[in-house]
Amino acid sequence: MSEKTAFKLTGAAPADPDAIQTRRPDGTHRVVITGMGAVSPAGVGVSALWDAVFGKQCCIAPIERFDTTDYEVHNAAEVRGFEPTEHGLTKKEARRFERFVQYAIVASDEALAMSGLTMEDEDPSRVSILFGSGIGGIDELQSGFTTLLEKGPKRVNPLFVPTMIGNIAAGTLAIRYGMKGECLDIVTACATGANSIGTALRDIRHGYTDVALTGGTEESISPICIAGFTNLSALTKAENPHEASLPFDVRRAGFVAGEGAGAIVLESLEHALARGAKIVAEVTGYGVTGDAYHMTAPSPDGEGIRRAMEQALAEGGFTPADLGHLNAHGTGTPANDATESHALLALCGEDAGSNIPVTSVKGSIGHTLGAAGALEAIVTALSVANDCVPPTHGFAEPDPDCPVSVVREAMTDYPQKVALSNSLGFGGHNACLAISPF
């Protein structure tokens, strides 16, 4: 890893744990991140993700998974060269599990290794799984329908249903690690990863569980997905991969589909200190709202997004004046970026809001849908832990309708009290995580 992009992967164990206040003023638990794992278009591992985002690498390229000759969209952010047996899965698991489950396993293995959590030392009923997927096993779904139509019902895979259903990622992780607490698959489209983390935060904060393995996973580069998103006019048709995902840029014309998984180990601070864990960052707040407006479009006034950000800050005891930067949903669609920009200004005031650093990882790794909130939470945690803000690949020409300060080059030596990570989903789902250095 180059010096330019080097970062602290595991944080540090506190020097005097007994001197730390483990509860919030209201008596609830403080919640910290002790492990992170990633499978992304940048490759396998948190380091690969960070190097790509911080180094403004473009992980978008022509689609390799299927022939796009008859498609209007030819680029995507695929997880290329992924061989599950090289990352801890058996040949049987590689054959049986859909890609979204494989991604979740590999990311979770990394997160647990980083955390140092040993299930033999834990009460398994106090360790939970909250791991979502926006779409689930879309490849198996498409394949199953093809088999049914072409070969008849008797030829459909007997494991079709448990292979395809979205909750099987959470279920498989629970089985793999022996975690017997709450086991949930939260599905809120592109807000899935952030809502999973936020729900896990609340469970730990209020004492329902001590530890949660949480995040999101997605396998979205498939013929039916690309066709559907294209016909919805959601995807960019740009042929140059470097000019495809353009968050907040006046030239933006849609998002680039991506895939992967992000996994985070959350613990109560009390639990983490008791076992001597190294702490990456603290999740200090969570905001969640609904637009009640439209199936696919955000409410133009951005009121729901603003409230989610406001809630996340307030839960952590912060005001908008404390905000260090916003890791925006920033998809590169005309409506999303303009609405999110105006929501930030409404939160902070026009003068202050226009100077808050804003970044989007989607210029580098595309929009990973149900995994996006988790991967972006990882980037946000590393940003506050390392006093920096990553740049936004693809941003070059500001849009007057997005009057915010988009980060063009990495900001370093920039301490922050708190950063926000936004995730927005079809149906009007708004989720915001507040993440602070520990």
Side-chain angles (χ1 to χ4, degrees):
M1 195 182 306
S2 68
E3 288 186 4
K4 179 179 178 182
T5 58
F7 66 95
K8 296 178 288 186
L9 265 173
T10 56
D16 184 9
D18 294 333
I20 295 174
Q21 177 56 256
T22 62
R23 300 287 181 119
R24 290 156 35 89
D26 63 1
T28 58
H29 291 278
R30 294 173 66 184
V31 180
V32 293
I33 298 171
T34 57
M36 304 184 298
V39 176
S40 74
V44 173
V46 170
S47 294
L49 171 66
W50 181 257
D51 283 351
V53 170
F54 202 88
K56 290 179 72 173
Q57 297 173 19
C58 180
C59 302
I60 298 162
I63 294 170
E64 295 180 349
R65 192 158 292 132
F66 60 92
D67 183 3
T68 61
T69 300
D70 295 330
Y71 290 72
E72 295 179 275
V73 169
H74 303 112
N75 289 313
E78 296 173 289
V79 177
R80 298 174 188 273
F82 179 78
E83 174 48 61
T85 57
E86 295 178 0
H87 301 286
L89 276 73
T90 66
K91 290 182 179 179
K92 180 179 179 181
E93 290 171 331
R95 288 193 308 269
R96 174 166 292 185
F97 296 149
E98 277 285 87
R99 284 184 294 119
F100 82 107
V101 177
Q102 295 175 13
Y103 296 159
I105 290 172
V106 174
S108 296
D109 281 354
E110 180 185 20
L112 287 168
M114 182 190 295
S115 75
L117 190 78
T118 304
M119 284 304 297
E120 288 78 5
D121 298 329
E122 300 295 329
D123 174 355
S125 69
R126 300 286 299 172
V127 183
S128 298
I129 300 277
L130 294 96
F131 220 98
S133 177
I135 298 173
I138 194 70
D139 288 352
E140 179 65 20
L141 185 65
Q142 182 167 329
S143 174
F145 278 126
T146 300
T147 299
L148 175 65
L149 294 173
E150 294 181 354
K151 299 181 180 179
K154 291 187 178 296
R155 297 294 297 276
V156 172
N157 178 8
L159 293 177
F160 169 75
V161 172
T163 299
M164 171 271 300
I165 50 178
N167 69 295
I168 205 64
T172 298
L173 295 175
I175 294 167
R176 183 176 183 86
Y177 307 121
M179 298 174 177
K180 297 183 178 181
E182 185 177 24
C183 185
L184 287 181
D185 165 36
I186 294 172
V187 183
T188 49
C190 305
T192 292
N195 282 141
S196 296
I197 296 166
T199 303
L201 167 72
R202 288 180 172 177
D203 283 350
I204 297 171
R205 194 180 294 300
H206 294 285
Y208 294 108
T209 193
D210 298 322
V211 182
L213 174 61
T214 182
T217 185
E218 205 77 274
E219 55 171 73
S220 54
I221 315 302
S222 66
I224 193 69
C225 280
I226 298 300
F229 279 130
T230 300
N231 294 343
L232 186 62
S233 298
L235 299 181
T236 176
K237 298 176 184 177
E239 293 295 341
N240 183 345
H242 290 272
E243 297 180 354
S245 186
L246 306 173
F248 299 99
D249 194 287
V250 72
R251 300 165 296 157
R252 69 190 186 281
F255 74 83
V256 173
E259 60 180 356
I264 289 177
V265 177
L266 291 182
E267 300 181 52
S268 69
L269 178 56
E270 183 177 348
H271 185 276
L273 293 176
R275 68 180 189 87
K278 295 180 179 179
I279 295 169
V280 179
E282 181 173 359
V283 184
T284 44
Y286 173 48
V288 56
T289 65
D291 281 347
Y293 173 73
H294 190 270
M295 183 183 290
T296 59
S299 179
D301 59 13
E303 187 270 344
I305 304 171
R306 177 197 60 77
R307 281 191 297 118
M309 292 190 287
E310 189 173 64
Q311 289 174 9
L313 287 172
E315 184 176 298
F318 302 107
T319 70
D322 296 316
L323 180 56
H325 83 277
L326 171 65
N327 189 309
H329 190 57
T331 56
T333 60
N336 177 94
D337 297 3
T339 303
E340 197 172 6
S341 297
H342 292 292
L344 180 62
L345 268 58
L347 175 74
C348 299
E350 290 197 8
D351 290 340
S354 63
N355 290 308
I356 297 292
V358 174
T359 189
S360 171
V361 307
K362 293 179 175 72
S364 289
I365 63 169
H367 187 3
T368 56
L369 307 178
L375 291 171
E376 290 161 22
I378 290 169
V379 171
T380 306
L382 290 174
S383 298
V384 298
N386 291 278
D387 300 333
C388 64
V389 182
T392 303
H393 181 276
F395 178 78
E397 299 180 26
D399 181 357
D401 202 23
C402 298
V404 291
S405 182
V406 182
V407 180
R408 299 180 189 232
E409 299 298 332
M411 299 173 63
T412 56
D413 299 319
Y414 180 69
Q416 304 165 69
K417 292 181 180 179
V418 63
L420 295 179
S421 182
N422 277 351
S423 293
L424 319 175
F426 281 177
H429 304 282
N430 307 305
C432 182
L433 297 168
I435 301 176
S436 301
F438 179 73

